[in-house]
Amino acid sequence: ASSPDEKALVEGAAEYKYTFVSKTSNSVTIRNHLNKQETFEVLAIIEFTSTRKRMSIVVRTPEGQIKVYIKGADNVILERIGKTASHNEHQENTGNHLDD
């Protein structure tokens, strides 16, 4: 891991039986909780900047779905969560976990 945050993410994923296998310039391979390898095509990476206070990666899943994964400062991520009741519930639950 290149930072303490990344180390924490990798260790947290391992607790749920997700492990890093390999990375190339255009893919990332993990082993999931069912012990099955999955390779994600990397479509774009938006690097962390002090202005954005987050980094993002856009991937194509093995099933062909396009997903965006973001990591960053808690306050920056939380303020971008939607405003529906469902989003508010997730934000409250996430806040509770961060406070633990």
Side-chain angles (χ1 to χ4, degrees):
S2 62
S3 72
D5 286 348
E6 286 188 18
K7 182 176 186 266
L9 285 170
V10 169
E11 290 173 353
E15 284 292 317
Y16 290 93
K17 308 295 186 220
Y18 285 82
T19 56
F20 173 80
V21 174
S22 65
K23 179 182 178 193
T24 69
S25 60
N26 60 358
S27 70
V28 174
T29 302
I30 62 148
R31 186 171 308 281
N32 70 20
H33 66 290
L34 301 173
N35 204 31
K36 178 184 170 196
Q37 273 194 197
E38 296 181 303
T39 299
F40 295 79
E41 178 186 1
V42 176
L43 302 175
I45 296 175
I46 304 168
E47 297 293 345
F48 178 92
T49 67
S50 57
T51 303
R52 290 182 75 240
K53 294 186 173 71
R54 63 190 181 280
M55 78 161 292
S56 308
I57 184 169
V58 182
V59 298
R60 184 181 323 272
T61 69
E63 297 78 30
Q65 295 178 312
I66 295 178
K67 295 192 175 192
V68 178
Y69 293 97
I70 302 169
K71 72 170 189 140
D74 301 343
N75 62 320
V76 172
I77 301 301
L78 290 174
E79 69 189 25
R80 284 164 176 76
I81 294 176
K83 302 299 181 202
T84 68
S86 174
H87 291 127
N88 289 339
E89 177 185 340
H90 290 299
Q91 184 171 359
E92 184 177 328
N93 288 338
T94 300
N96 291 338
H97 287 293
L98 290 171
D99 292 337
D100 288 345

